[in-house]
Amino acid sequence: MAEGGEGDGLLRPPLPAGAPGPKRLCSRAGPAAAAGVGAAPPRLGGPGAGGGEPGGGGGALAGGGPALAGPRGGGGPGAAALLLQPESLLDAAAKRVAASWAFERVEGRFQRIPEPVQRRIVYWSFPRSERQICMYSSFQPGPGGAAPGPDDSPAPAAAAAPPADGLPFRRGARLLDTGAVDNVLQVGFHLSGTVTEPATATEPEMTYKVAISFDRCKITSVTCGCGNKDIFYCAHVVALSLYRIRKPEQVKLRLPISETLFQMNRDQLQKFVQYLITEHHTEVLPTAQKLADDILSSNSEINQTHGAPDPTAGASINDENCWHLDEEQVREQVKLFLSQGGYYGSGKQLNSMFAKVREMLRMRDSNGARMLTLITEQFMADPRLSLWRQQGTGMTDKCRQLWDELGALWVCVVLNPHCKLEEKSCWLRQLRKWGDMDVCPLEDGSYGNELPNITNALTQSSNHSQDSLARPRRTVFTRAIEGCDLHWQDSHLQRIISSDFYVSPSYQREGESLLFNSQGQPLWLEHVPTACARVDALRSHGYPKEALRLTVAIINTLRLQQQRQLEIYKHQKKELLQRGATTITNLEGWVGHPLNPVGCLFLTLTEACRLEEENCLEISDAGDSKPPVYRHVPVATGCQDSGESYLSLALEVALMGMGQQRVMPEGLYAQDKVCHNEEQIIARLQELELEAVLVQTLRKQCILLLEGGPFSGLGEVIHRESVPMHTFAKYLFSALLPHDADLAYKLALRAMRLPVLETTAPSGDVTHPHHLVSVVPSRYPRWFTLGHLESQQCELASTMLTAAKGDMLRLRTVLEAIQKNIHSSSLIFKLAQDAFKIATPADSNPDTTLLNVALELGLQVMRMTLSTLNWRRREMVRWLVTCATEVGVRALLSILQNWYTLFTPTEATSIVAATVMSHNTILRLSLDYPQREELAGCARTLALQCAMKDPQNCALSALTLCEKDHIAFETAYQIVIDAAATGMTYSQLFTIARYMEHRGYPLRAFKLASLAMTHLNLAYNQDTHPAINDVLWACALSHSLGKNELAAIIPLVVKSVHCATVLSDILRRCTMTAPGLAGIPGRRNSGKLMSTDKAPLRQLLDATISAYINTTHSRLTHISPRHYGEFIEFLSKARETFLLAQDGHLQFAQFIDNLKQIYKGKKKLMMLVRERFG
């Protein structure tokens, strides 16, 4: 800027011959010439304005053009005037030049650029829309999804709504609104200012200096005193940028500093430099001295170049024109997120970075591919990749999904319809380099099996097994590499995407055509996932209209294929139905495909129909997003009376894709991806509000799917390894039910099948030469998601059961489908529980039809699990009795009478019969006496049958159940006696004996205890055996009955028990009281204590002494010194028993002498024995 008016510098000489080309430098004649450089041009690359406005050195950005858009994209303070006043030609031209040309190019093209023109170019070179500022200052996607216009015009109203409060954009906007921005100055292509952060409870007020460089409506570099280390701009950069966009009239404007310096004479320049050094002497003095030395040296590098750099003069022609992106921070952030492993936050952040890449692509910002390259480099450098490869283990699902998104984004990038060939070549080299690395993840998610190349829809050859051995290695980048071979030059394709009214001439619509259907609408015959990848690329790169046109052409092609498939099936129907099998004609499934073709088409169509509320772009802090609202938008077409909307097409194509019959892919991840993708599409379908038009589309497509034969997953015949349709059918059933119940049930019942679990594979599957995979009947264990698929089958059945409540005919049909198709007892049990819960609401009467269905399902579960192990079996049995009780007494009688087909004997007696005979059941059913007797009779019969079949486990329960019927009780007792000799253990017999004593049958208890003793063997060292208490109880029972019973049991005890301490305990108890205390009628108690010198205790005493002697010798064989004290105590107890005999003291003395003689080598022990026993 000149200090005076438009002076003598306005017309300047052109560049002299031989001078270097244009550079972003400033110079003038004088010292440089004296130094031998020669006559320098006034400004290399910058012959332009030198003068300033009359009367001053600048001012506010006021005159010459309209203000930029206001806070929400509307007009600024002068918006009203803008509506009345057309844009000046100067501004119109300056806007286009500022957006397209580097300022150096402008200077190089024109010798003389008037200052007003320079001003307007500089004015319009700053970004004009808040959309880009928002995009570069937050992870959260910027507002809206539309691409900018060709002139990068300001965003429409509401388009710049910022994201949530915690993000830099919102914080920056708040700082601007609170007046925190000050000292704003624009010098050429450089904007500076200060931003003040208010004080908080923990931080004082801070003022930061902010500097922004820009060029061609893009911010090319940012600097802030806050030291922000992040991918995105800090809140202070945002605040200054928004100030410049929203309040351009308040920003002081100067032309590039080189223009101002050019106006100064030598004295002014010296004064300028000295003042500058004085102001910042501590910072710039060393640098200033070095520059002065270089300038005064004729041979210095600085004197070999014309002019000097100017940081405010914009970018060079050769500089890359792109938004500022801190590459180092991108790398660091991705590296950090990857190092955090599978944590939820890190995966969420990486997904946000992918979303940011998509947003950049949609804005046609070259940084999209640049940022994706940086992300990919860090992904490939992840040390876990080599670890997973060495261990042969797969990566986690979340990590695998990130790699999938990475591959899909690269497909979008390489399919950019307007990318340059050199860009695509560069990407191809990089993708091949990554793909050739050993650690590069494979497309199927593992380092083992690899998938065939299925990008090209080629016919499968008959020598499939040989070809499969030489499958090419397919990585996550393979599809992007293949995408580099695709182009957009096809004239038919160009016409499709460029016009809504591209139709065939009417005279050509008679016969078949590869380019148009019979209505004249264009078709696009290409491998469907590849065609959908084109759609995704158009949509991702900000060409929504073109994406819609291609989508419609693809759908018309799919419709035609569907129609032809139906015609083919009609000719083959009889043969296929007779054979009951089919072969897969689809080489790959569209659901779960790496390119997500169905989801891509659906999103493209629904985005065109989405209603945006006025403030829908104001993202709430709570993060609660409302479900989208859609409206019908007519399809733009050249054909008359189309009557279709993009919304109905979205529903139609989703149903066509989901209903495609496809073979289950190999590998856990591929199968898991099929399930996830299906659930994602259904979740989006559920967002649609089904009104008349959509219901009509739904009905029509469902009918076509049912009639579609082998091409439809819901056709009459499907392949044994076809992906099940349960999840899809559940959605269709719920959607159709209110409008066409018959069709809903027909479709859902058809989908209930799961042929992979059938016992044999139809022979037709194996012999067909064009089948996709070699069929082995036992292949289904490789269905890693089989458990999930079976649970979805169960969910479908449960949904139908719920809907059919009260309708006996439909319930019966659903029940038959369940019994035929569901092979998991646990799932059938779950269905039975669900049906029971629905049939017995708390606030109304039970539904008997559904209750009976629940009971039948429960009975099936009992039959299925009777001979197999199931950890829930006991719960199942209890539930069945509860269900039968709810149904009524007839159901209980039925399960009691047919128990052997449903329960084990133990279950029948201990759970079923016991529960049926309980007081609670009698009260619940309000039974009269004859009904109770009938039920009790059945229970007793069951008990006796079970006792005969399994006396060991059922005898006690049988006795308990038969207590009230003498004949039945006697029968049960006799069964126990008969089984006691061979089939029952001592513990079972002791338990029943104790029960008999408890019920008042001591003699029967004694008999059973005696039988139990014959099965027992207690060794000398088993002094903690669990049967000891039973033995003591049996002896006490015998003692209480009388001398005869005691005399009968003691020989059994002597024979079975060899543990000295147990025998001495029994002996002690028998000598403490007189026998015969049980009070049995007809018997008298003698009242005399029994002597150990007479039978039967003499035999017990001798056995006890003998046991002590044997145990002593056994213990001394392996005794250690630490057990000496315990052994001495054992001998003391032995002496007590010896002394019960008449000559006991002599026997014990002899016993001790023998020990001393035999074990005289154990001197210390024998010394202890002598000390205690002499």
Side-chain angles (χ1 to χ4, degrees), residues 757-769:
L757 291 183
E758 301 300 333
T759 52
T760 57
S763 59
D765 292 357
V766 185
T767 57
H768 198 282

PDB file of all heavy atoms in Angstrom, residues 757-769:
ATOM      1  N   LEU A 757     -29.048 -78.550   8.072  1.00  0.00           N
ATOM      2  CA  LEU A 757     -29.101 -79.443   9.231  1.00  0.00           C
ATOM      3  C   LEU A 757     -29.848 -80.741   8.952  1.00  0.00           C
ATOM      4  O   LEU A 757     -29.978 -81.570   9.853  1.00  0.00           O
ATOM      5  CB  LEU A 757     -29.760 -78.716  10.417  1.00  0.00           C
ATOM      6  CG  LEU A 757     -28.937 -77.579  11.035  1.00  0.00           C
ATOM      7  CD1 LEU A 757     -29.669 -76.992  12.226  1.00  0.00           C
ATOM      8  CD2 LEU A 757     -27.563 -78.045  11.439  1.00  0.00           C
ATOM      9  N   GLU A 758     -30.362 -80.881   7.748  1.00  0.00           N
ATOM     10  CA  GLU A 758     -31.017 -82.142   7.416  1.00  0.00           C
ATOM     11  C   GLU A 758     -29.956 -83.230   7.333  1.00  0.00           C
ATOM     12  O   GLU A 758     -28.788 -82.987   7.054  1.00  0.00           O
ATOM     13  CB  GLU A 758     -31.778 -82.021   6.082  1.00  0.00           C
ATOM     14  CG  GLU A 758     -32.843 -80.941   6.079  1.00  0.00           C
ATOM     15  CD  GLU A 758     -33.918 -81.149   7.130  1.00  0.00           C
ATOM     16  OE1 GLU A 758     -34.144 -82.316   7.492  1.00  0.00           O
ATOM     17  OE2 GLU A 758     -34.497 -80.165   7.607  1.00  0.00           O
ATOM     18  N   THR A 759     -30.382 -84.473   7.519  1.00  0.00           N
ATOM     19  CA  THR A 759     -29.411 -85.562   7.671  1.00  0.00           C
ATOM     20  C   THR A 759     -28.652 -85.873   6.394  1.00  0.00           C
ATOM     21  O   THR A 759     -27.468 -86.187   6.423  1.00  0.00           O
ATOM     22  CB  THR A 759     -30.134 -86.836   8.142  1.00  0.00           C
ATOM     23  OG1 THR A 759     -31.246 -87.078   7.261  1.00  0.00           O
ATOM     24  CG2 THR A 759     -30.641 -86.654   9.554  1.00  0.00           C
ATOM     25  N   THR A 760     -29.297 -85.775   5.234  1.00  0.00           N
ATOM     26  CA  THR A 760     -28.606 -86.132   3.991  1.00  0.00           C
ATOM     27  C   THR A 760     -28.728 -85.008   2.996  1.00  0.00           C
ATOM     28  O   THR A 760     -29.714 -84.273   2.971  1.00  0.00           O
ATOM     29  CB  THR A 760     -29.216 -87.399   3.365  1.00  0.00           C
ATOM     30  OG1 THR A 760     -30.617 -87.181   3.135  1.00  0.00           O
ATOM     31  CG2 THR A 760     -29.012 -88.599   4.275  1.00  0.00           C
ATOM     32  N   ALA A 761     -27.729 -84.894   2.148  1.00  0.00           N
ATOM     33  CA  ALA A 761     -27.754 -83.897   1.087  1.00  0.00           C
ATOM     34  C   ALA A 761     -28.364 -84.509  -0.152  1.00  0.00           C
ATOM     35  O   ALA A 761     -28.043 -85.637  -0.508  1.00  0.00           O
ATOM     36  CB  ALA A 761     -26.337 -83.424   0.786  1.00  0.00           C
ATOM     37  N   PRO A 762     -29.274 -83.804  -0.834  1.00  0.00           N
ATOM     38  CA  PRO A 762     -29.844 -84.339  -2.067  1.00  0.00           C
ATOM     39  C   PRO A 762     -28.742 -84.610  -3.084  1.00  0.00           C
ATOM     40  O   PRO A 762     -27.777 -83.873  -3.208  1.00  0.00           O
ATOM     41  CB  PRO A 762     -30.772 -83.203  -2.541  1.00  0.00           C
ATOM     42  CG  PRO A 762     -31.031 -82.387  -1.326  1.00  0.00           C
ATOM     43  CD  PRO A 762     -29.819 -82.506  -0.486  1.00  0.00           C
ATOM     44  N   SER A 763     -28.920 -85.699  -3.798  1.00  0.00           N
ATOM     45  CA  SER A 763     -27.867 -86.106  -4.733  1.00  0.00           C
ATOM     46  C   SER A 763     -27.645 -85.086  -5.829  1.00  0.00           C
ATOM     47  O   SER A 763     -26.559 -84.963  -6.369  1.00  0.00           O
ATOM     48  CB  SER A 763     -28.231 -87.454  -5.349  1.00  0.00           C
ATOM     49  OG  SER A 763     -29.485 -87.350  -6.023  1.00  0.00           O
ATOM     50  N   GLY A 764     -28.673 -84.353  -6.168  1.00  0.00           N
ATOM     51  CA  GLY A 764     -28.547 -83.382  -7.252  1.00  0.00           C
ATOM     52  C   GLY A 764     -27.517 -82.314  -6.968  1.00  0.00           C
ATOM     53  O   GLY A 764     -26.947 -81.741  -7.887  1.00  0.00           O
ATOM     54  N   ASP A 765     -27.267 -82.045  -5.690  1.00  0.00           N
ATOM     55  CA  ASP A 765     -26.302 -80.999  -5.359  1.00  0.00           C
ATOM     56  C   ASP A 765     -24.890 -81.365  -5.788  1.00  0.00           C
ATOM     57  O   ASP A 765     -24.101 -80.539  -6.180  1.00  0.00           O
ATOM     58  CB  ASP A 765     -26.293 -80.755  -3.838  1.00  0.00           C
ATOM     59  CG  ASP A 765     -27.588 -80.135  -3.376  1.00  0.00           C
ATOM     60  OD1 ASP A 765     -28.412 -79.867  -4.246  1.00  0.00           O
ATOM     61  OD2 ASP A 765     -27.756 -79.939  -2.165  1.00  0.00           O
ATOM     62  N   VAL A 766     -24.573 -82.657  -5.698  1.00  0.00           N
ATOM     63  CA  VAL A 766     -23.196 -83.069  -5.906  1.00  0.00           C
ATOM     64  C   VAL A 766     -22.884 -83.249  -7.380  1.00  0.00           C
ATOM     65  O   VAL A 766     -21.794 -82.955  -7.842  1.00  0.00           O
ATOM     66  CB  VAL A 766     -22.928 -84.388  -5.138  1.00  0.00           C
ATOM     67  CG1 VAL A 766     -21.469 -84.771  -5.238  1.00  0.00           C
ATOM     68  CG2 VAL A 766     -23.356 -84.240  -3.691  1.00  0.00           C
ATOM     69  N   THR A 767     -23.836 -83.711  -8.141  1.00  0.00           N
ATOM     70  CA  THR A 767     -23.545 -84.096  -9.522  1.00  0.00           C
ATOM     71  C   THR A 767     -23.519 -82.926 -10.477  1.00  0.00           C
ATOM     72  O   THR A 767     -22.974 -83.040 -11.566  1.00  0.00           O
ATOM     73  CB  THR A 767     -24.609 -85.089 -10.009  1.00  0.00           C
ATOM     74  OG1 THR A 767     -25.909 -84.481  -9.868  1.00  0.00           O
ATOM     75  CG2 THR A 767     -24.580 -86.359  -9.169  1.00  0.00           C
ATOM     76  N   HIS A 768     -24.100 -81.798 -10.081  1.00  0.00           N
ATOM     77  CA  HIS A 768     -24.164 -80.684 -11.021  1.00  0.00           C
ATOM     78  C   HIS A 768     -22.776 -80.130 -11.293  1.00  0.00           C
ATOM     79  O   HIS A 768     -22.054 -79.766 -10.380  1.00  0.00           O
ATOM     80  CB  HIS A 768     -25.060 -79.570 -10.468  1.00  0.00           C
ATOM     81  CG  HIS A 768     -25.508 -78.621 -11.537  1.00  0.00           C
ATOM     82  ND1 HIS A 768     -24.671 -77.653 -12.023  1.00  0.00           N
ATOM     83  CD2 HIS A 768     -26.679 -78.512 -12.213  1.00  0.00           C
ATOM     84  CE1 HIS A 768     -25.317 -76.963 -12.958  1.00  0.00           C
ATOM     85  NE2 HIS A 768     -26.537 -77.469 -13.090  1.00  0.00           N
ATOM     86  N   PRO A 769     -22.350 -80.064 -12.552  1.00  0.00           N
ATOM     87  CA  PRO A 769     -20.964 -79.670 -12.838  1.00  0.00           C
ATOM     88  C   PRO A 769     -20.666 -78.203 -12.595  1.00  0.00           C
ATOM     89  O   PRO A 769     -19.516 -77.833 -12.476  1.00  0.00           O
ATOM     90  CB  PRO A 769     -20.821 -80.003 -14.330  1.00  0.00           C
ATOM     91  CG  PRO A 769     -22.216 -79.931 -14.867  1.00  0.00           C
ATOM     92  CD  PRO A 769     -23.106 -80.392 -13.763  1.00  0.00           C
TER      93      PRO A 769
END
